[in-house]
Amino acid sequence: MSSTRSWFQKFQHREKNKDKSGTPTKREIEETTNSPMEDEPPSSATQQKVAAAKEYIENHYKAQMQCLQDRKERRWVLERKLADGDVPAEEQMNLLNFLEKKETEYMRIQRHKMGVDDFDLLTIIGSGAFGEVRICREKSTGHVYAMKKLKKSEMLRRGQVEHVKAERNLLAEVDSGCIVKLYCSFQDQEFLYLIMEYLPGGDMMTLLMRKDTLTEDEARFYVGQTVLAIESIHKHNYIHRDIKPDNLLLDRNGHMKLSDFGLCKPLDRSNFPDLSENENGDGKNSRTLAGGVQYNNKTSAPMRSQQEQLLHWKNNRRMLVCFLSILH
């Protein structure tokens, strides 16, 4: 009761200090101005959340506008074809109504959020440090996919969140016949799920163990497809960093596709000036071999012969062995 009475007295005292117009006094303005304000800048975590929310909203409405434009274009193309084909007006109306019905069903499917309950989980075909890969079948269509299941807590503990983001971004961005296709991704409180293309042919390691030695034509074929797969991700400024036979998968027709982008990294082209165009804009590297190598207007040492390079490599290896023996 005493606390209520003291609060009421302070309130009456404040009301008396106000002028007749109801505006606060100079003393109250100074107290309000001198009150502690939160002038501290937002933390890095808050800035990251703001940037992620901004990117999500921009991408969402950009996709909405693109879908609307695509719908209008599909309707316009159908109307033109019907007009050029001298189709009766009643049949034209029926076809346009059928198109609208299909468009509505497609939009309803897009709004549906995928989850683990939409798939029948089948055999486990692989396991790793963060989770497992298993075969799954979609309940609505019966299509078979490969589900990659990653444990969030383990990714956070090992600091591999950025690698997983890079893998997901690469799979979503690169559309190539030499890369395993990503169909969708979703998550729950414990796991992150990537629904990818299922390749029943196994991997190159299994093929090499089974055949022991490939013929010249087979080796040329698989090496060529490996080069094409690596080139397809290099064109999108990514490097794989984990090329090995286990990550080269085979489809049912024997064609190779590159997989497992957990160690991939975006390529910063500013660190590789030889990949950029020269000042003339002709797309050729500014490199000459007249007595030395001109590399971005800088002259380096002349090119060594093969024997000199081998000798230089051996000397460096000897120095490294001596250095390691001293440390031990």
Side-chain angles (χ1 to χ4, degrees):
M1 188 70 181
S2 59
S3 61
T4 306
R5 186 180 296 107
S6 61
W7 176 84
F8 185 70
Q9 290 176 356
K10 291 180 181 179
F11 180 76
Q12 286 183 334
H13 180 69
R14 183 177 297 179
E15 289 293 329
K16 290 180 181 179
N17 291 334
K18 288 184 179 180
D19 56 7
K20 296 181 180 180
S21 61
T23 57
T25 60
K26 181 179 180 180
R27 181 178 178 182
E28 291 181 352
I29 295 176
E30 291 178 355
E31 291 178 354
T32 306
T33 306
N34 296 330
S35 61
M37 300 295 291
E38 296 181 358
D39 296 331
E40 298 181 358
S43 62
S44 59
T46 304
Q47 293 178 358
Q48 291 178 359
K49 291 180 180 179
V50 170
K54 179 182 177 182
E55 183 179 1
Y56 173 79
I57 294 173
E58 290 178 351
N59 294 336
H60 174 73
Y61 284 102
K62 186 183 297 184
Q64 292 291 333
M65 295 301 296
Q66 184 64 36
C67 289
L68 180 61
Q69 184 67 25
D70 294 341
R71 289 187 63 184
K72 292 182 179 179
E73 184 175 355
R74 286 193 291 267
R75 184 181 178 88
W76 179 79
V77 170
L78 179 59
E79 290 177 350
R80 289 291 302 271
K81 289 183 177 180
L82 293 177
D84 296 340
D86 295 333
V87 180
E90 184 178 357
E91 189 173 353
Q92 289 186 15
M93 186 61 63
N94 293 334
L95 291 174
L96 292 176
N97 291 336
F98 180 76
L99 175 64
E100 290 294 332
K101 182 180 179 180
K102 289 297 182 181
E103 293 283 359
T104 304
E105 293 178 358
Y106 176 71
M107 293 177 62
R108 186 181 296 112
I109 293 174
Q110 280 191 325
R111 289 194 298 268
H112 174 69
K113 293 184 178 181
M114 301 294 294
V116 186
D117 297 334
D118 296 324
F119 299 90
D120 290 326
L121 304 182
L122 305 177
T123 310
I124 296 178
I125 57 177
S127 60
F130 306 137
E132 62 185 19
V133 180
R134 66 165 65 223
I135 305 173
C136 64
R137 180 184 291 108
E138 190 175 5
K139 294 180 180 179
S140 60
T141 61
H143 295 164
V144 177
Y145 302 100
M147 174 186 289
K148 191 171 185 178
K149 182 180 178 182
L150 304 173
K151 192 173 183 62
K152 291 182 179 179
S153 59
E154 193 67 21
M155 289 188 296
L156 291 173
R157 188 179 69 85
R158 300 188 178 215
Q160 298 294 322
V161 177
E162 295 300 326
H163 292 297
V164 176
K165 288 183 179 179
E167 178 181 12
R168 190 265 175 194
N169 294 337
L170 186 146
L171 290 173
E173 179 180 349
V174 179
D175 185 13
S176 172
C178 303
I179 300 296
V180 176
K181 185 177 180 58
L182 174 69
Y183 290 99
C184 65
S185 61
F186 51 87
Q187 59 181 331
D188 54 20
Q189 294 182 353
E190 297 183 6
F191 297 97
L192 173 66
Y193 301 90
L194 301 176
I195 306 299
M196 299 183 296
E197 178 184 8
Y198 171 59
L199 301 176
D203 54 29
M204 278 298 299
M205 178 60 71
T206 305
L207 179 65
L208 292 174
M209 293 174 62
R210 186 173 64 249
K211 300 196 67 172
D212 190 21
T213 303
L214 299 178
T215 64
E216 184 177 352
D217 292 337
E218 292 173 344
R220 186 184 295 111
F221 173 76
Y222 287 122
V223 169
Q225 291 212 327
T226 304
V227 172
L228 291 176
I230 297 174
E231 182 190 20
S232 63
I233 63 174
H234 285 181
K235 287 182 178 179
H236 290 78
N237 296 334
Y238 283 95
I239 50 178
H240 192 279
R241 304 200 302 175
D242 195 18
I243 301 295
K244 57 184 180 181
D246 305 83
N247 295 333
L248 300 174
L249 305 182
L250 304 174
D251 61 8
R252 65 183 63 204
N253 297 320
H255 293 279
M256 179 188 297
K257 295 191 178 184
L258 188 59
S259 68
D260 196 357
F261 301 92
L263 294 180
C264 72
K265 184 177 181 181
L267 178 64
D268 187 5
R269 299 181 69 90
S270 61
N271 295 331
F272 300 91
D274 58 330
L275 299 178
S276 59
E277 296 181 357
N278 60 357
E279 296 179 357
N280 297 329
D282 54 359
K284 299 180 180 179
N285 297 331
S286 56
R287 179 179 295 177
T288 59
L289 301 178
V293 178
Q294 185 179 356
Y295 189 74
N296 283 348
N297 298 327
K298 296 181 181 179
T299 304
S300 62
M303 295 186 63
R304 301 185 180 95
S305 64
Q306 186 174 2
Q307 294 181 352
E308 291 175 347
Q309 291 178 2
L310 180 60
L311 180 61
H312 180 71
W313 178 82
K314 289 182 178 179
N315 293 333
N316 288 339
R317 297 296 295 177
R318 292 193 187 97
M319 292 176 60
L320 179 59
V321 171
C322 294
F323 179 72
L324 292 177
S325 61
I326 293 174
L327 290 179
H328 289 291

